[in-house]
Amino acid sequence: MLDLTYDAPKPKIIAGAKQDWELVIGLEVHAQVATNAKLFSGASTLFGAEPNSNVAFVDAGMPGMLPVINEECVAQAVRTGLGLKADINLYSAFDRKNYFYPDLPPGYQISQLYHPIVGEGEVLVDMAPGIARVVRIERIHLEQDAGKSIHDMDPTMSFVDLNRTGVALMEIVSRPDIRGPEEAAAYVSKLRQIMRYLGTCDGNMQNGNLRADVNVSICQPGAYERYQETQDFSHLGTRCEIKNMNSLRFIQQAIDVEAKRQIAIVEGGGEVVQETRLYDPDKGETRSMRSKEEAHDYRYFPDPDLLPLEIEQSWVDDIASGLPELPDEKRLRFMEEFGLSEYDASVLTADVANAAYFEEVAQAGDGKLAANWVINELFGRLKKDDDKDITDSPVSPGQLRDIIALITKGDISGKIAKDLFEIVYTEGGNPAEIVDARGMRQVTDTGAIEAAVDEIIAANPAQVEKAKANPKLAGWFVGQVMKATGGKANPKAVNEIVAKKLGS
Ligand code: ADP
Ligand code: MG
């Protein structure tokens, strides 16, 4: 395990009119499995295709069609489970969740209620350097996504697009271990980061490939600790579930307004009723979608068309041995191997492509200097350039490594290096050749620097007198020499020679 000595953040306190309240939050995250084909058919999962062009007969619920499990979807769920340090269940089974909806032609969704493929795991949710909370994962199950009803294309008709029907989802269910809106967003970010490292979900929230049902309740200080000790839910308040959130910002806003709504009810002498709610970002409120009494009776039963899913431990072990280094491990290694601060290591490991780029730059060099250049210069420049991705960086890791090597060898100053970086960024080319071709090399030849210093001293006798009386004014001469040499003189050498000549 990792050697991380973290302080858990304090739970978010929300001031009520009469007393303080704490929040308890549990998330059900739906992550679309990154695969080419659907969970039980060979139809493509490509986003943005012509409506109803990626639909197999079984997706359309044609009578007599049989589902056939896609092995890659199972492998992806196992990979995700392993990435969340969870138990993998060698035996799992699919159940039918029955309900009618136009975008669900068979009249049921195939899911895993009683025997999910992944059991208990955990996620380390980072709040700030040194501050993180462990959020326990209860389970991950595989299920089918539904299609999309379109109500805004025609005044009298609704349309349905079944391209998404049957696409594999992983539903990742957390324990109610999340204690505030920021933490909920950080939890989803961390899940997304881990799944992107694993390649199991692209994490694109805008396309709906990652979305969350957010369960919120309030309790008095101390109640959550009693729940933790006993795992008895009766210590917690009644929860409401806010459905289908696909933005980190909205998740936070919705939790905040929902908590305030519940506080007002309880402090007003009422009781929170368990129900499903929707967040309206325009109005900044949640509203009831259906109460528990109106909840569907899904009449779950084992899907008779599918055998229980039995997988081999050796197959799981194979998948485990092919897992990439994950964000927590990578961050820790960057701190140890390159001497980076936790903050810099977090920034560089936020995305696996950034981390790979940095490692190539830092190879056999000064890790801290490399981190500085990647974070401050390169990321800054990419951001200014239409928020370009690192994979589209015009400066390759090799080129940046060469620029940094020129600085450490003393061939160019840090200031000239920035000019050089800009040239390489906009025009390309070999950094060392550019330095030679454009005469950017740092002047370390003390003879040349001495000559420049002498010239300036001779031309400014009044300044010399002043500087002799006040050594702080030597800086003026240094500046003049730098100007005269186009910034190419080695600043350390200039300082020494100026000091010597002024006799200070
Ligand atoms: P259901 O199947 O009815 O949605 P689950 O037991 O699967 O119920 O719980 C759904 C989610 O609600 C889980 O993420 C769980 O952590 C969370 N949860 C349960 N109780 C509470 C509570 N009192 N406050 C906040 N979240 C809760
Ligand atoms: Mg649920």
Side-chain angles (χ1 to χ4, degrees):
M1 264 312 273
L2 277 175
D3 177 26
L4 290 166
T5 44
Y6 281 113
D7 266 347
K10 297 268 178 291
K12 168 100 179 181
I13 308 282
I14 299 206
K18 296 182 179 152
Q19 66 167 100
D20 286 345
W21 295 91
E22 285 182 11
L23 273 170
V24 176
I25 300 157
L27 260 58
E28 298 160 274
V29 169
H30 289 92
Q32 180 174 320
V33 178
T35 51
N36 297 325
K38 294 182 179 180
L39 183 51
F40 298 113
S41 84
S44 167
T45 57
L46 204 67
F47 183 83
E50 186 70 12
N52 297 307
S53 58
N54 296 337
V55 190
F57 287 127
V58 68
D59 305 323
M62 293 293 174
M65 297 297 114
L66 292 173
V68 178
I69 186 112
N70 177 347
E71 180 177 332
E72 184 53 20
C73 294
V74 180
Q76 290 289 54
V78 169
R79 228 167 252 133
T80 304
L82 293 168
L84 301 181
K85 321 238 180 315
D87 304 327
I88 306 300
N89 296 324
L90 299 182
Y91 177 97
S92 67
F94 291 97
D95 305 293
R96 286 188 184 177
K97 178 178 183 179
N98 297 280
Y99 63 100
F100 173 76
Y101 209 74
D103 59 23
L104 187 77
Y108 57 83
Q109 175 195 31
I110 305 177
S111 181
Q112 298 188 304
L113 177 66
Y114 302 109
H115 300 284
I117 183 155
V118 178
E120 297 192 332
E122 63 178 47
V123 180
L124 190 68
V125 179
D126 318 282
M127 300 305 298
I131 299 186
R133 186 185 300 283
V134 173
V135 172
R136 294 168 300 159
I137 300 293
E138 182 184 319
R139 57 187 279 158
I140 304 176
H141 58 260
L142 274 168
E143 63 183 29
Q144 298 174 298
D145 204 349
K148 193 173 157 205
S149 300
I150 301 155
H151 305 294
D152 56 4
M153 272 177 68
D154 187 284
T156 58
M157 281 188 287
S158 282
F159 297 92
V160 67
D161 176 6
L162 299 182
N163 281 349
R164 204 165 206 147
T165 312
V167 168
L169 299 180
M170 296 177 280
E171 177 167 337
I172 305 168
V173 183
S174 85
R175 299 277 182 199
D177 290 346
I178 298 162
R179 306 305 311 281
E182 304 78 17
E183 242 175 84
Y187 167 76
V188 176
S189 296
K190 189 65 178 275
L191 277 186
R192 179 172 61 180
Q193 182 191 28
I194 292 172
M195 289 191 289
R196 281 181 172 163
Y197 266 65
L198 292 166
T200 57
C201 170
D202 70 13
N204 187 330
M205 296 187 81
Q206 244 158 20
N207 291 355
N209 296 352
L210 187 70
R211 46 196 202 259
D213 299 340
V214 182
N215 297 271
V216 179
S217 68
I218 52 163
C219 66
Q220 298 187 2
Y224 184 80
E225 286 68 24
R226 288 196 287 284
Y227 154 73
Q228 279 287 17
E229 276 158 30
T230 57
Q231 293 302 305
D232 177 352
F233 281 87
S234 69
H235 293 295
L236 301 179
T238 303
R239 71 190 153 98
C240 285
E241 179 180 12
I242 311 161
K243 274 279 178 206
N244 235 343
M245 308 286 301
N246 67 346
S247 125
L248 295 179
R249 196 157 53 89
F250 290 163
I251 287 176
Q252 299 188 59
Q253 290 171 0
I255 292 171
D256 216 55
V257 298
E258 176 58 17
K260 287 180 179 140
R261 186 188 72 88
Q262 293 182 11
I263 290 169
I265 292 174
V266 176
E267 291 199 342
E271 263 180 47
V272 174
V273 270
Q274 188 176 335
E275 62 183 356
T276 304
R277 299 181 69 84
L278 283 179
Y279 177 60
D280 181 338
D282 296 326
K283 295 207 176 103
E285 62 182 33
T286 64
R287 61 168 174 271
S288 183
M289 190 174 146
R290 54 174 182 260
S291 69
K292 204 178 181 193
E293 289 74 55
E294 300 163 77
H296 299 123
D297 174 4
Y298 293 118
R299 294 175 293 118
Y300 277 101
F301 62 85
D303 192 307
D305 289 340
L306 288 159
L307 288 169
L309 184 59
E310 292 185 67
I311 57 178
E312 303 277 336
Q313 184 60 48
S314 58
W315 187 64
V316 175
D317 294 342
D318 268 359
I319 293 176
S321 66
L323 286 193
E325 183 181 38
L326 291 170
D328 291 337
E329 284 82 10
K330 203 185 273 296
R331 182 180 51 189
L332 204 64
R333 183 170 62 78
F334 278 13
M335 290 163 68
E336 280 166 3
E337 204 172 313
F338 301 110
L340 303 187
S341 67
E342 191 186 337
Y343 178 79
D344 282 356
S346 298
V347 172
L348 291 168
T349 56
D351 177 282
V352 76
N354 288 349
Y357 186 105
F358 164 75
E359 274 207 87
E360 264 192 75
V361 176
Q363 249 172 38
D366 179 337
K368 270 191 184 158
L369 191 58
N372 258 330
W373 272 83
V374 172
I375 295 173
N376 299 322
E377 301 305 322
L378 181 65
F379 287 176
R381 188 64 181 83
L382 289 169
K383 207 175 170 65
K384 266 200 280 175
D385 191 2
D386 218 9
D387 220 350
K388 260 208 179 95
D389 212 74
I390 189 113
T391 47
D392 301 320
S393 167
V395 178
S396 73
Q399 285 171 314
L400 186 51
R401 194 167 59 222
D402 289 348
I403 295 173
I404 295 172
L406 289 165
I407 307 171
T408 41
K409 274 191 294 177
D411 286 351
I412 55 173
S413 66
K415 194 169 158 294
I416 292 285
K418 290 187 186 181
D419 299 339
L420 175 61
F421 174 81
E422 186 57 29
I423 294 169
V424 175
Y425 192 97
T426 47
E427 299 169 30
N430 177 308
E433 284 172 17
I434 295 170
V435 165
D436 284 335
R438 308 203 183 185
M440 297 169 89
R441 200 168 285 278
Q442 182 161 258
V443 181
T444 37
D445 169 6
T446 45
I449 296 174
E450 271 198 64
V453 174
D454 286 342
E455 212 169 290
I456 287 161
I457 285 180
N460 298 282
Q463 280 288 338
V464 174
E465 284 316 306
K466 281 193 215 160
K468 281 189 170 156
N470 180 3
K472 276 190 197 148
L473 297 180
W476 182 83
F477 288 90
V478 174
Q480 292 300 306
V481 175
M482 294 308 282
K483 215 189 224 168
T485 57
K488 283 178 299 184
N490 181 326
K492 192 164 160 265
V494 176
N495 268 298
E496 283 168 7
I497 293 168
V498 166
K500 196 178 74 189
K501 298 260 171 186
L502 291 177
S504 51

